[in-house]
Amino acid sequence: MSLDEKFSALRKGLLEFLLLKIIAADKVYVADILRQLSGTEFATQEGTLYPLLSKMRRESLLDYEWQESDAGPPRKYYKLTAKGREQLRELTDYWNKIHGTVKGLGP
Amino acid sequence: MNKVIAIHLHGTAFHLEEGGYETLRAYLDNANRQLEENPDKAEILADIEQAIADKFAARLNTSRNVVLSTEVQAVIAEIGPVTNSSDATTDDKANAKSDARPQPSTTAAHPGSKKRLYRIKDGAMLAGVCNGLATYIGIDVTLLRLAVAVLIFFSFGTVAIAYIVGILIIPKAETPEQIAATTGPSPTAQEFIRKAKEGYYEGFKTMHDREAHRAWKRKFKNEMRDWNRKLKEEFRWGFPCPPLPPVPSRIAIPPPDGFHVVMPILATLRALLILLCWFAILSLVTTGAILGVTLPGQLPVWAGVILLILAYKVAVAPIKALRRTYYYRFNGWPAYWHPFADLLHGLLTVLILALGVWLADCFIPGFHQALLNFPIFCQQVADSIQQWWHQR
C-alpha cells in the first residue's frame, strides 16, 4: 500500500479545508484553484471540484459571481461568505490541535 | 477517413470523431447518474460541460476544427470522474461531528440557488429595478411602481437617486440560473432547467439516427418554448391572467414593414409621455396647478396626482400595445393577446387599491382621520424637505 493510498481518506477530508483557505486569500475561479493545488499532494480535478464547490455553496460557506473573461465565456469567481470565514477559523484551530497531538505523541 | 459528429456543449458547437463522441457520451451519462440525488445536478453538469468546452477550444485552431478521439480521452482524464461529494462528505461529517447534523437536512429542503435580488428586464419600464424588487418581495409590480412614482415626487428626487443607485448595484438577471434565482425556488423555473438538462441528455440517444434526431430536436425545442413561455408569464403578470394562446410552430418571420422606423418613434413617444407626466405631477405638487392650469373644483392635490397617473396610463396604452404587437410579430410570437390588457391591468390595480382603502376606511377605526390627514402630512414632509434643501 503506497503512502498516497494510506492517506487518501485524510487528503479527501482536508480538501474542503484547503478550498476555504485558497478562496479566503483571493477571489478565484476553478482553474486558479486547480493550478494552486496541482503541484501538491492535494492535486485534484474538475470532476471532484465542481460537486464539492456546489455542496459548499449549498451550505452557504461560499458564493460565486459571474465575471467576464478576456477570452471565452464569463467565469464563476468564488468567494467566502461570513459563515465560510468562521468555518475556516474553526478548522484552522482544529487542524493546529491535530498537528500538536501528532507531534506530541511517540518519539 | 473518419465520421464526425456535431454536438454542442453549453452553447458552443464542436465536431467530434465518432469514437470520441461515444467516450464523451458515456462519461456524461455516468456523471448524470452519479449526481442523480444531487440538488445542484443541473448546475454541476453545466459547469463540467463548460470545462470540457474550454479544454476542447484550447486544443483546436483555425486549421483544425475536429476534436480527435484521443483528445476527448485526454480531456476526460484531465477532468476526472464526477464524484458526488454530497454523499461522501456528509457521511464523513456525520461521523466526525454529530452536532452538524441538522445543517445538511435543512439546506437539502431548498434545492438550487437562494432567492436573490436582480433587475428583471423582461416587462420592465426603465431598468427593471421595480420589476426585480416586486418579484423579490412578492408584490404586484404596478403597486410598487405607483408607490415609487408617488414617492419620487414627495421625496423630491431622493427615491429617484435610490433608483439610479439600484440600477448601478443590482445585477441584471441574465442566465437561466439568475432568472430562476429572482423568484427563489420557483417550481416552473426549476422544472425548466431540469427539463432542459434531461431532454438534452435524452437527445444523445438519438444521435446515430439522423431522422430520429431531427424529430427529437423539434419536439425538444417545442417543449422548451412552452416552458419558457410559462416562465415568462410568471414574471410578467402580478395577477392571474388568461393564458396566452398556443404558439404556432416557430418560423423565421421577417420584421414587419416599417419595423425599424416605427419602433424608435413609439419608444420616443412613450418616453416623452413619461417625462410629461412626471413634469405635470411635479408642477402639481410644487405649485398646486398643472403647468399653470389649476385643478377643477376643490380637487385635492393627491387626487390630481392619481388622475394624472391614470391619464398617463390611458395615453400610453395604445403605444404599448402597438409596440408589443410589433415586437412579438418580429420574434415569431403571437400578437399581444388583448390590446387593452395593460390598461385593464392598470385600472384593476387602482380599483383594488381604492377598494382596500375603502374597506379600511369602513372597518378600521382611526383610519378615516389618518386618511384625511395623509395629504396634509405628505405636504408637510415635502415642505420640510424643501426647506432643508433651500437651507443647504
Side-chain angles (χ1 to χ4, degrees):
Chain A
M1 202 185 200
S2 73
L3 286 177
D4 256 12
E5 274 175 67
K6 279 198 181 190
F7 279 116
S8 83
L10 182 75
R11 282 184 296 122
K12 205 170 135 204
L14 277 176
L15 194 54
E16 193 176 320
F17 173 41
L18 293 181
L19 287 185
L20 286 173
K21 276 186 77 123
I22 291 172
I23 297 169
D26 196 10
K27 247 183 8 188
V28 284
Y29 72 106
V30 162
D32 287 333
I33 301 176
L34 290 171
R35 203 174 313 123
Q36 286 193 41
L37 290 173
S38 62
T40 70
E41 304 82 352
F42 296 94
T44 184
Q45 297 171 302
E46 280 100 333
T48 312
L49 211 49
Y50 277 118
L52 185 54
L53 285 170
S54 95
K55 191 207 71 159
M56 287 164 77
R57 189 169 89 100
R58 226 164 37 240
E59 291 168 357
S60 48
L61 297 175
L62 49 82
D63 202 358
Y64 64 75
E65 57 189 49
W66 291 95
Q67 236 170 53
E68 295 295 327
S69 64
D70 303 332
R75 292 163 172 163
K76 277 179 184 174
Y77 274 81
Y78 290 89
K79 57 175 192 244
L80 289 196
T81 60
K83 196 177 160 199
R85 280 191 294 277
E86 175 59 31
Q87 172 104 87
L88 175 60
R89 241 191 323 278
E90 285 170 17
L91 286 178
T92 311
D93 287 348
Y94 193 71
W95 171 250
N96 288 338
K97 231 168 75 188
I98 293 179
H99 187 66
T101 311
V102 172
K103 275 193 115 169
L105 289 173
Chain B
M1 194 176 77
N2 278 330
K3 203 172 150 192
V4 164
I5 291 176
I7 60 157
H8 82 85
L9 287 169
H10 217 230
T12 319
F14 290 100
H15 289 93
L16 264 60
E17 272 191 331
E18 199 173 7
Y21 161 74
E22 291 293 342
T23 317
L24 182 61
R25 191 184 75 166
Y27 174 77
L28 286 177
D29 278 350
N30 182 51
N32 202 24
R33 267 196 305 280
Q34 280 290 321
L35 297 171
E36 203 49 69
E37 306 276 277
N38 196 313
D40 289 334
K41 174 174 139 181
E43 198 184 347
I44 297 170
L45 285 175
D47 285 335
I48 300 275
E49 272 185 21
Q50 183 64 58
I52 295 173
D54 286 347
K55 283 177 200 289
F56 280 171
R59 281 170 164 78
L60 297 174
N61 53 44
T62 45
S63 61
R64 201 167 68 78
N65 54 18
V66 172
V67 185
L68 305 177
S69 299
T70 48
E71 287 175 322
V72 175
Q73 281 162 15
V75 164
I76 286 176
E78 261 178 51
I79 287 179
V82 173
T83 48
N84 192 359
S85 70
S86 277
D87 292 351
T89 35
T90 38
D91 283 351
D92 290 352
K93 251 203 203 142
N95 297 336
K97 264 194 186 174
S98 54
D99 55 49
R101 274 321 281 174
Q103 200 68 39
S105 59
T106 47
T107 44
H110 301 282
S113 48
K114 258 196 300 183
K115 192 165 162 176
R116 280 155 187 249
L117 181 58
Y118 283 108
R119 287 188 287 126
I120 302 170
K121 283 296 267 186
D122 195 359
M125 290 270 261
L126 293 170
V129 174
C130 284
N131 210 5
L133 192 64
T135 308
Y136 186 72
I137 48 184
I139 62 165
D140 180 52
V141 65
T142 312
L143 275 180
L144 187 71
R145 280 190 189 131
L146 261 175
V148 168
V150 170
L151 276 175
I152 281 180
F153 296 110
F154 284 120
S155 66
F156 287 89
T158 325
V159 173
I161 291 169
Y163 189 92
I164 292 164
V165 171
I167 296 176
L168 295 177
I169 62 169
I170 304 172
K172 215 168 24 175
E174 275 160 336
T175 65
E177 286 90 349
Q178 286 172 337
I179 291 171
T182 56
T183 48
S186 143
T188 319
Q190 279 200 342
E191 190 66 356
F192 173 67
I193 293 166
R194 195 184 64 78
K195 272 246 162 171
K197 277 286 161 195
E198 211 179 71
Y200 176 58
Y201 285 101
E202 208 174 288
F204 273 138
K205 289 178 198 149
T206 56
M207 270 292 187
H208 297 294
D209 184 353
R210 263 224 167 143
E211 269 312 303
H213 187 62
R214 213 171 276 160
W216 162 79
K217 226 169 160 180
R218 248 197 314 273
K219 190 175 138 258
F220 180 59
K221 262 193 184 157
N222 276 333
E223 247 169 52
M224 280 300 101
R225 207 172 49 230
D226 281 349
W227 277 99
N228 209 349
R229 220 155 47 84
K230 265 192 209 161
L231 206 65
K232 283 202 172 135
E233 264 171 56
E234 226 179 68
F235 288 133
R236 186 164 293 130
W237 306 108
F239 295 114
C241 271
L244 293 164
V247 192
S249 88
R250 184 163 174 164
I251 321 150
I253 297 173
D257 291 335
F259 179 83
H260 299 294
V261 182
V262 174
M263 285 306 263
I265 292 178
L266 289 181
T268 318
L269 216 60
R270 196 166 150 217
L272 280 177
L273 271 174
I274 293 177
L275 279 179
L276 188 69
C277 177
W278 284 8
F279 193 61
I281 294 178
L282 190 64
S283 87
L284 176 63
V285 174
T286 46
T287 63
I290 304 166
L291 313 171
V293 184
T294 45
L295 285 172
Q298 293 299 308
L299 221 52
V301 170
W302 59 270
V305 171
I306 291 178
L307 276 179
L308 273 174
I309 293 172
L310 265 177
Y312 163 75
K313 276 263 173 197
V314 172
V316 95
I319 297 181
K320 250 181 151 174
L322 250 177
R323 278 189 65 187
R324 286 193 196 198
T325 311
Y326 261 101
Y327 178 73
Y328 285 135
R329 281 264 164 73
F330 180 40
N331 279 275
W333 286 76
Y336 197 36
W337 65 277
H338 193 296
F340 294 110
D342 201 68
L343 176 66
L344 287 175
H345 193 223
L347 280 174
L348 201 60
T349 311
V350 174
L351 272 179
I352 289 175
L353 193 69
L355 187 70
V357 171
W358 180 72
L359 281 176
D361 195 37
C362 291
F363 295 110
I364 303 174
F367 187 84
H368 187 72
Q369 198 50 46
L371 197 65
L372 288 182
N373 288 337
F374 183 69
I376 305 165
F377 170 75
C378 289
Q379 198 63 48
Q380 280 169 352
V381 172
D383 282 346
S384 62
I385 293 173
Q386 225 171 357
Q387 247 172 21
W388 166 80
W389 182 260
H390 287 306
Q391 275 167 7
R392 282 170 67 249

